[in-house]
Amino acid sequence: MSAREEILTRVRKALADREAHAHPGDFGSWQAEPSGSIVPAFMEAFTSTGGEVVRVADEAQAGAWLREFSADFSGTAIGDGVPMALRPPLAAAPPAAADLGVSMATSGVAETGSLVLGARDGRRTQLLPPTHVVFLHTSDTVATLKEALNAMKGTLPSAIGLHSGPSKSADIGQVLVRGVHGPGRVIAVLIGADQ
Amino acid sequence: MSMRVALFATCLGDSFFADSVADAVRLLRHLGAEVHYPEGQTCCGQPAFNSGHMDEARRAAMHTVRTFDGADYVVLPSGSCAGMLRQMYPSLLGEPAAPLAERTFELAQFITQVLGVQDLGDGLQGRHIAYHHGCHALRELGIEDEPVSLLSRAGASVTDWEADQECCGFGGLFSVKIPEVSVAMADRKLDSLPEVDFITSADGGCLMQMSGRARRRKAAVRFRHLASVLWEATGRGSNPTAGAAL
Amino acid sequence: MSDPRPADYATAAAATLRDTPEVRTAITAATRTFDAHRRAAYAQVAAEEWRTWMEGVKNHLLTHLADYLEQAEEQLTRNGVHVHWAGTGDEALAALGDVVDAHGVGGVVKAKSMLTEELGVNAFLEQRGVRVRETDLGEYIIQLLGEPPSHIVGPAIHRSLEDCQALFHRELGTSPDATPDELAGAARDALRSDFLSADLGISGGNFLVAESGTVALIENEGNIRLSTSVPPVHVAFVGIEKLLPRFEDLSGFLQLTSRAATGQAIGTYVSLIQGPRRADESDGPTEVHVILVDNGRSSLLADDTAWEALRCVRCGACLNVCPVYRQTGGHAYGWAYSGPIGAILAPGLLGLENAMPLPHASSLCGACEDVCPVRIPFTDILLHWRHQAVERGLASTTEGLAMRAFAGLTERPRLYGAAARALRHLPIEVGGSALPVLRNWTAERELPKPSVRRFAQLWKDGIA
């Protein structure tokens, strides 16, 4: 018998007399309904962990903001998912050398303050540069993580990252430090009006 | 029509806190209960149960069930022994234990929940007390506010104590099986304690553990069993050092 | 992990308290902080209902485990993941060895994984001449120190800032009074090249979703995302109990596990990995392996009481609230899992005879049950293992004899009373030095003095 068969046999035998439990189904609500609209809730959650937020009306403004912001950086890595309109002429660098990374989020989750980043965008760009700018259309924000997961279920890339603030650790003497491996600074640029 | 209460003194109560168990009798009578003491009582069986000796635990438990058969209420000056009867006897003995389990109460629990008494008097005016929440009373029996409320409504100030709900390290035989850790747990309780007149608790085991360690450390803090303190709260108790765990 | 040594718990605990009292101080402070954060995070949500829901999902998963394992394998395979089944620790290591050989792996970056501690993955790789670099900052610190982890979530909480300053000064050349930021920066720089040059990334798995074949990983630093994205090959070790039925179940589990572990609404980075990189993706591993590990879990599943321990999501909340754990930290327990969860898993995963006395490393205070996000009944399981130990002859003969004598007394009130009277005449000083049980008390505590008269006597004499 293969290890697979042995394990499955042992598991089935272990459960032979065990009462089966039904899945409890969906859980109603995790917390009090967020008051107000989704975008302010997202902003509050995202900034509470040390993330930064910038609001712009449209892609034109977003591109202009990025050009100005990136002027202080020597090299920018841009994720494949970032549309051309949001890539003003910037000094390019590979992710391992860039000091600024730019990504396009596929969605944002208000209840956890999370940016949903897909592998198609390019993971190195999302992780290696110490400062990370992430564009997010406000129309892509949802209230709950459950909604976000259900929306992406049918079209999963090889990997998804939920980024909910800057990289941090308290492993050194219980003191909080930022930017240990991932970016120490993450800025969500929200494009569009409140939802 | 007075309430008939069967008193279960418990091993530690019988041998080490006899004066406090006597104060429990006085208190219950003062509150209108008729107190009986079934003389066949011995031990609830907890030491055997907690060490995994289930057959021996069952024997002690069956004896206890027989001894208290027919009692309207069984009251214990001990959170851990009351917890044993209420929570553990049903799983240990099944149906035979159900009647006893339902009618068993720890002393403060009985006073507040069954007798409905919230105010005992003002006999504790000006006392600064720390209350140690024994784990069984707190987590098995769900007793949290009742003893503190009885104490403070009798005039005591019950101090904020960071570690008040943390285990003192007794745990029955744990105290001698893993002694160094047990002592470190007692030290945590003592080191975090603010200045008080005395510490009180519903469990003799906890009091022995903490006072035993305190005396070895030559700490001045005193320990008194809750039953004696509640009796003093009525203003009828005359000996403020009664129930001191030695 | 080298040979587990739970048998040494009592002496190891005593040695820690005696020789390195600063460990107790550090662990107490760290765990109190973690627990305070957890308490605040639970208070923000409908925690009781949430815990009940998570308990229900895991009970459903475990009682249908074989079906879900098969579904997970099917999905993983469809996603292009290589699935390995490992009944034992040796089989798990052998599967890893095959991947190492197939790719000529010289350097590995590792994400923190308790399962890989349990299996001894690092020692296995090092023996084969493979360079292993732990990338989680806490794991990196203890790797440099040559120590095992002291806590499930914070492996280095037993070490102070001063310890880290001295360590990094020695190993990385930072200044002896470097700030935490400077130390973290030095670690980041040192590990950056490891990420970029490693041949293989190894992780565990917080959850494996059967419906989608997703391996879910939670972290705060970013080292797990890097370890599972940059190297060309990724191997994930997943215990068979870590499955979840549905993709959307992740919502509840990611959030409450984070709240229970560190008080966060969600971990800073969550990786949801479906498989190797696709044609339209610019990076990611080209090969992904999942090693499904039994290593005693199926035998634990067979135990009608202890199987509930398999709901564990490894959040560490029980450690953070355990008054026994916080006196010594994790090393005294002698194997990968410590605190309450270690005490109830050990007999199942190591065998009861190898796990003793861990089921007794508890005062049964029950604080762990109050906080566990999946409502594991710790007290019932500890009592169960203690009972099993007696049944299997693992308890001391003296204790057995004493208990039988004791039971006899409890059934005979007159004998019981005579024994209680005799107790007060026991020469305590002689007794204190003669009886080991009493010595264990009197070494550091005064004995209680018996009441002048027993209560039974007071009652007879009349209570005024």
Side-chain angles (χ1 to χ4, degrees), chain A residues 21 25 124 158 160 167 181, chain C residues 53 60 135 221 272 274 281 283:
Chain A
H21 291 245
R124 290 176 188 229
S158 73
I160 288 177
S167 154
H181 294 299
Chain C
W53 178 86
H60 170 71
T135 62
E221 295 175 23
L272 303 178
Q274 278 62 242
E281 294 169 1
D283 58 20

Side-chain angles (χ1 to χ4, degrees), chain A residues 17-109:
Chain A
D17 298 323
R18 185 80 35 80
E19 178 203 335
H21 291 245
H23 191 294
D26 289 356
F27 182 71
S29 69
W30 307 116
Q31 52 198 307
E33 288 303 308
S35 57
S37 68
I38 295 174
V39 172
F42 172 87
M43 288 171 58
E44 193 188 316
F46 193 73
T47 53
S48 73
T49 62
E52 298 168 54
V53 175
V54 168
R55 298 289 308 265
V56 293
D58 52 35
E59 286 194 345
Q61 280 193 12
W65 176 87
L66 179 61
R67 183 185 4 246
E68 196 192 319
F69 181 76
S70 65
D72 297 331
F73 293 85
S74 48
T76 306
I78 306 194
D80 295 347
V82 179
M84 294 317 295
L86 295 175
R87 303 181 186 212
L90 301 166
D99 51 357
L100 173 66
V102 181
S103 301
M104 188 76 217
T106 56
S107 61
V109 180

Side-chain angles (χ1 to χ4, degrees), chain B residues 30-52:
Chain B
H30 168 73
L31 295 175
E34 190 187 307
V35 181
H36 296 260
Y37 173 72
E39 291 190 1
Q41 61 185 260
T42 56
C43 173
C44 70
Q46 198 180 174
F49 183 78
N50 284 354
S51 327

Side-chain angles (χ1 to χ4, degrees), chain A residues 2-15 17-32 49 80 95-96 98 111-114 117-132 144-150 152-153 155-184 186, chain C residues 30 44-46 49-50 53 56-57 59-60 62-67 69-70 73 85-87 91 135-138 141 154-155 157 160-161 164 180-181 183-184 188 191-192 195-196 211-212 214 220-223 225-226 228-230 240 245-252 254-255 259 265-278 280-285 294 298 301-304 307:
Chain A
S2 64
R4 178 186 189 278
E5 291 316 309
E6 284 175 1
I7 291 172
L8 289 171
T9 302
R10 278 199 297 270
V11 168
R12 291 203 156 96
K13 184 149 176 260
L15 295 170
D17 298 323
R18 185 80 35 80
E19 178 203 335
H21 291 245
H23 191 294
D26 289 356
F27 182 71
S29 69
W30 307 116
Q31 52 198 307
T49 62
D80 295 347
E111 82 177 333
T112 53
S114 304
L117 296 167
R120 286 183 203 107
D121 188 72
R123 288 180 252 184
R124 290 176 188 229
T125 300
Q126 298 162 3
L127 296 162
L128 293 174
T131 300
H132 188 202
T144 66
L145 182 54
K146 190 169 86 157
E147 283 172 68
L149 291 171
N150 279 332
M152 69 175 76
K153 201 161 83 165
T155 57
L156 291 169
S158 73
I160 288 177
L162 304 178
H163 289 217
S164 309
S167 154
K168 52 172 68 96
S169 169
D171 281 331
I172 296 180
Q174 298 298 300
V175 176
L176 194 67
V177 297
R178 289 201 186 161
V180 188
H181 294 299
V186 59
Chain C
Q44 290 173 338
V45 298
E49 287 99 312
W50 205 333
W53 178 86
V57 174
N59 281 348
H60 170 71
L62 290 168
T63 55
H64 297 85
L65 185 59
D67 294 336
L69 282 167
E70 288 181 326
E73 178 190 46
W85 296 73
E91 285 172 11
T135 62
D136 171 274
L137 191 53
I141 288 169
I157 61 172
S160 65
L161 173 58
C164 296
D181 271 318
L183 297 174
R188 176 198 170 100
L191 288 166
R192 181 53 59 101
F195 284 123
L196 296 173
E211 183 185 23
S212 56
T214 300
N220 283 307
E221 295 175 23
N223 63 299
R225 287 225 77 202
L226 282 168
T228 59
S229 306
V230 178
I240 56 173
R246 314 174 310 179
F247 191 65
E248 86 167 59
D249 294 332
L250 280 172
S251 167
L254 289 173
Q255 291 183 73
R259 286 179 184 266
I266 194 168
T268 303
Y269 298 105
V270 172
S271 305
L272 303 178
I273 294 169
Q274 278 62 242
R277 76 154 78 159
R278 311 244 172 103
D280 60 347
E281 294 169 1
S282 58
D283 58 20
D294 181 345
S298 57
L301 185 63
D303 187 303
D304 284 332
W307 73 280

